mmCIF file of all heavy atoms in Angstrom:
data_model
loop_
_atom_site.group_PDB
_atom_site.id
_atom_site.type_symbol
_atom_site.label_atom_id
_atom_site.label_comp_id
_atom_site.label_asym_id
_atom_site.label_seq_id
_atom_site.Cartn_x
_atom_site.Cartn_y
_atom_site.Cartn_z
ATOM 1 N N GLU A 170 9.953 80.711 127.188
ATOM 2 C CA GLU A 170 10.313 80.862 128.550
ATOM 3 C C GLU A 170 11.116 82.222 128.633
ATOM 4 O O GLU A 170 10.774 82.909 129.712
ATOM 5 C CB GLU A 170 11.317 79.776 129.073
ATOM 6 C CG GLU A 170 10.855 78.398 128.878
ATOM 7 C CD GLU A 170 9.594 78.120 130.000
ATOM 8 O OE1 GLU A 170 9.025 79.114 130.536
ATOM 9 O OE2 GLU A 170 9.255 76.939 130.111
ATOM 10 N N THR A 171 11.766 82.675 127.677
ATOM 11 C CA THR A 171 12.459 83.963 127.877
ATOM 12 C C THR A 171 11.443 85.123 127.892
ATOM 13 O O THR A 171 11.622 86.137 128.512
ATOM 14 C CB THR A 171 13.445 84.259 126.677
ATOM 15 O OG1 THR A 171 12.857 84.112 125.432
ATOM 16 C CG2 THR A 171 14.658 83.446 126.723
ATOM 17 N N LYS A 172 10.353 84.881 127.093
ATOM 18 C CA LYS A 172 9.268 85.971 127.182
ATOM 19 C C LYS A 172 8.743 86.007 128.647
ATOM 20 O O LYS A 172 8.431 87.135 129.144
ATOM 21 C CB LYS A 172 8.209 85.614 126.209
ATOM 22 C CG LYS A 172 8.676 85.778 124.805
ATOM 23 C CD LYS A 172 7.499 85.853 123.794
ATOM 24 C CE LYS A 172 7.979 85.984 122.498
ATOM 25 N NZ LYS A 172 7.867 84.835 121.537
ATOM 26 N N ILE A 173 8.519 84.899 129.276
ATOM 27 C CA ILE A 173 7.987 84.772 130.674
ATOM 28 C C ILE A 173 8.929 85.497 131.522
ATOM 29 O O ILE A 173 8.660 86.357 132.420
ATOM 30 C CB ILE A 173 7.634 83.468 131.133
ATOM 31 C CG1 ILE A 173 6.650 82.833 130.137
ATOM 32 C CG2 ILE A 173 7.213 83.401 132.562
ATOM 33 C CD1 ILE A 173 6.351 81.414 130.449
ATOM 34 N N ILE A 174 10.309 85.185 131.321
ATOM 35 C CA ILE A 174 11.323 85.765 132.195
ATOM 36 C C ILE A 174 11.351 87.253 132.061
ATOM 37 O O ILE A 174 11.340 88.041 133.088
ATOM 38 C CB ILE A 174 12.788 85.264 131.698
ATOM 39 C CG1 ILE A 174 12.849 83.799 132.115
ATOM 40 C CG2 ILE A 174 13.883 85.964 132.442
ATOM 41 C CD1 ILE A 174 14.122 83.030 131.627
ATOM 42 N N ASN A 175 11.168 87.769 130.871
ATOM 43 C CA ASN A 175 11.126 89.216 130.635
ATOM 44 C C ASN A 175 9.987 89.857 131.402
ATOM 45 O O ASN A 175 10.090 90.967 131.972
ATOM 46 C CB ASN A 175 11.087 89.570 129.139
ATOM 47 C CG ASN A 175 12.354 89.247 128.405
ATOM 48 O OD1 ASN A 175 13.440 89.150 129.024
ATOM 49 N ND2 ASN A 175 12.301 89.163 127.085
ATOM 50 N N GLU A 176 8.829 89.205 131.237
ATOM 51 C CA GLU A 176 7.695 89.713 132.017
ATOM 52 C C GLU A 176 7.911 89.805 133.606
ATOM 53 O O GLU A 176 7.532 90.690 134.181
ATOM 54 C CB GLU A 176 6.420 88.888 131.770
ATOM 55 C CG GLU A 176 5.783 89.103 130.427
ATOM 56 C CD GLU A 176 4.811 88.015 130.120
ATOM 57 O OE1 GLU A 176 4.303 87.334 131.013
ATOM 58 O OE2 GLU A 176 4.559 87.967 128.820
ATOM 59 N N LYS A 177 8.592 88.674 134.157
ATOM 60 C CA LYS A 177 8.847 88.691 135.487
ATOM 61 C C LYS A 177 9.846 89.823 135.832
ATOM 62 O O LYS A 177 9.696 90.335 136.981
ATOM 63 C CB LYS A 177 9.438 87.354 135.864
ATOM 64 C CG LYS A 177 8.442 86.101 135.822
ATOM 65 C CD LYS A 177 7.352 86.187 136.790
ATOM 66 C CE LYS A 177 6.180 85.221 136.487
ATOM 67 N NZ LYS A 177 5.052 85.566 137.281
ATOM 68 N N LEU A 178 10.847 89.967 134.963
ATOM 69 C CA LEU A 178 11.795 91.069 135.318
ATOM 70 C C LEU A 178 11.128 92.457 135.432
ATOM 71 O O LEU A 178 11.387 93.218 136.231
ATOM 72 C CB LEU A 178 12.931 91.083 134.240
ATOM 73 C CG LEU A 178 13.787 89.806 134.184
ATOM 74 C CD1 LEU A 178 14.813 89.915 133.111
ATOM 75 C CD2 LEU A 178 14.450 89.570 135.510
ATOM 76 N N ILE A 179 10.298 92.749 134.383
ATOM 77 C CA ILE A 179 9.476 93.950 134.418
ATOM 78 C C ILE A 179 8.542 94.056 135.708
ATOM 79 O O ILE A 179 8.628 95.078 136.417
ATOM 80 C CB ILE A 179 8.675 94.076 133.191
ATOM 81 C CG1 ILE A 179 9.567 94.276 131.908
ATOM 82 C CG2 ILE A 179 7.783 95.317 133.228
ATOM 83 C CD1 ILE A 179 8.855 94.099 130.580
ATOM 84 N N GLU A 180 7.994 92.869 136.017
ATOM 85 C CA GLU A 180 7.153 92.862 137.300
ATOM 86 C C GLU A 180 7.945 93.245 138.480
ATOM 87 O O GLU A 180 7.453 94.048 139.277
ATOM 88 C CB GLU A 180 6.461 91.529 137.378
ATOM 89 C CG GLU A 180 5.415 91.412 138.448
ATOM 90 C CD GLU A 180 4.762 90.021 138.708
ATOM 91 O OE1 GLU A 180 4.982 89.210 137.655
ATOM 92 O OE2 GLU A 180 4.217 89.819 139.734
ATOM 93 N N ILE A 181 9.170 92.621 138.636
ATOM 94 C CA ILE A 181 9.977 92.770 139.754
ATOM 95 C C ILE A 181 10.297 94.329 139.855
ATOM 96 O O ILE A 181 10.287 94.921 140.890
ATOM 97 C CB ILE A 181 11.131 91.910 139.850
ATOM 98 C CG1 ILE A 181 10.791 90.491 139.937
ATOM 99 C CG2 ILE A 181 12.166 92.322 140.952
ATOM 100 C CD1 ILE A 181 11.830 89.413 139.632
ATOM 101 N N ALA A 182 10.744 94.821 138.701
ATOM 102 C CA ALA A 182 11.094 96.329 138.627
ATOM 103 C C ALA A 182 10.047 97.153 139.063
ATOM 104 O O ALA A 182 10.282 98.118 139.878
ATOM 105 C CB ALA A 182 11.639 96.586 137.297
ATOM 106 N N SER A 183 8.833 96.935 138.544
ATOM 107 C CA SER A 183 7.751 97.855 138.796
ATOM 108 C C SER A 183 7.192 97.516 140.316
ATOM 109 O O SER A 183 6.810 98.596 140.992
ATOM 110 C CB SER A 183 6.582 97.617 137.866
ATOM 111 O OG SER A 183 5.750 96.437 138.117
ATOM 112 N N LEU A 184 7.404 96.329 140.850
ATOM 113 C CA LEU A 184 7.028 96.202 142.293
ATOM 114 C C LEU A 184 8.175 96.926 143.116
ATOM 115 O O LEU A 184 7.708 97.553 144.153
ATOM 116 C CB LEU A 184 7.047 94.757 142.631
ATOM 117 C CG LEU A 184 5.836 94.013 142.212
ATOM 118 C CD1 LEU A 184 6.051 92.442 142.255
ATOM 119 C CD2 LEU A 184 4.643 94.370 143.099
ATOM 120 N N ASN A 185 9.372 96.960 142.726
ATOM 121 C CA ASN A 185 10.462 97.765 143.441
ATOM 122 C C ASN A 185 9.881 99.197 143.607
ATOM 123 O O ASN A 185 9.984 99.793 144.497
ATOM 124 C CB ASN A 185 11.736 97.733 142.674
ATOM 125 C CG ASN A 185 12.592 96.547 143.104
ATOM 126 O OD1 ASN A 185 12.309 95.990 144.087
ATOM 127 N ND2 ASN A 185 13.600 96.208 142.279
ATOM 128 N N GLN A 186 9.414 99.686 142.448
ATOM 129 C CA GLN A 186 8.983 101.126 142.326
ATOM 130 C C GLN A 186 7.761 101.304 143.366
ATOM 131 O O GLN A 186 7.725 102.256 144.164
ATOM 132 C CB GLN A 186 8.513 101.412 140.923
ATOM 133 C CG GLN A 186 7.704 102.637 140.741
ATOM 134 C CD GLN A 186 8.661 103.806 140.569
ATOM 135 O OE1 GLN A 186 9.897 103.680 140.151
ATOM 136 N NE2 GLN A 186 8.211 105.033 141.086
ATOM 137 N N SER A 187 6.750 100.405 143.270
ATOM 138 C CA SER A 187 5.450 100.616 144.147
ATOM 139 C C SER A 187 5.953 100.497 145.620
ATOM 140 O O SER A 187 5.413 101.179 146.422
ATOM 141 C CB SER A 187 4.481 99.597 143.826
ATOM 142 O OG SER A 187 4.330 99.419 142.465
ATOM 143 N N ILE A 188 6.887 99.528 145.908
ATOM 144 C CA ILE A 188 7.194 99.305 147.335
ATOM 145 C C ILE A 188 7.988 100.514 147.814
ATOM 146 O O ILE A 188 7.746 100.993 148.947
ATOM 147 C CB ILE A 188 8.172 98.189 147.388
ATOM 148 C CG1 ILE A 188 7.315 96.898 147.240
ATOM 149 C CG2 ILE A 188 8.793 98.064 148.819
ATOM 150 C CD1 ILE A 188 7.984 95.520 147.079
ATOM 151 N N LYS A 189 8.852 101.090 146.984
ATOM 152 C CA LYS A 189 9.477 102.246 147.392
ATOM 153 C C LYS A 189 8.549 103.429 147.714
ATOM 154 O O LYS A 189 8.616 104.052 148.758
ATOM 155 C CB LYS A 189 10.430 102.807 146.146
ATOM 156 C CG LYS A 189 11.407 103.831 146.547
ATOM 157 C CD LYS A 189 12.555 103.772 145.611
ATOM 158 C CE LYS A 189 12.501 105.067 144.681
ATOM 159 N NZ LYS A 189 13.586 104.950 143.643
ATOM 160 N N GLU A 190 7.483 103.556 146.820
ATOM 161 C CA GLU A 190 6.515 104.634 147.179
ATOM 162 C C GLU A 190 5.655 104.330 148.424
ATOM 163 O O GLU A 190 5.505 105.196 149.285
ATOM 164 C CB GLU A 190 5.461 104.721 145.941
ATOM 165 C CG GLU A 190 6.242 105.355 144.822
ATOM 166 C CD GLU A 190 5.364 105.202 143.512
ATOM 167 O OE1 GLU A 190 4.290 104.577 143.480
ATOM 168 O OE2 GLU A 190 5.803 105.534 142.438
ATOM 169 N N LEU A 191 5.268 103.111 148.616
ATOM 170 C CA LEU A 191 4.401 102.783 149.727
ATOM 171 C C LEU A 191 5.099 102.836 151.199
ATOM 172 O O LEU A 191 4.685 103.078 151.989
ATOM 173 C CB LEU A 191 3.808 101.441 149.602
ATOM 174 C CG LEU A 191 2.422 101.310 148.870
ATOM 175 C CD1 LEU A 191 1.951 99.886 148.889
ATOM 176 C CD2 LEU A 191 1.372 102.196 149.728
#
Side-chain angles (χ1 to χ4, degrees):
Chain A
E170 301 292 12
T171 54
K172 291 201 180 101
I173 299 176
I174 291 174
N175 288 341
E176 282 166 19
K177 293 290 165 196
L178 294 179
I179 292 170
E180 188 182 345
I181 293 168
S183 78
L184 282 167
N185 269 346
Q186 170 81 28
S187 313
I188 288 169
K189 193 158 109 186
E190 285 162 6
L191 271 180

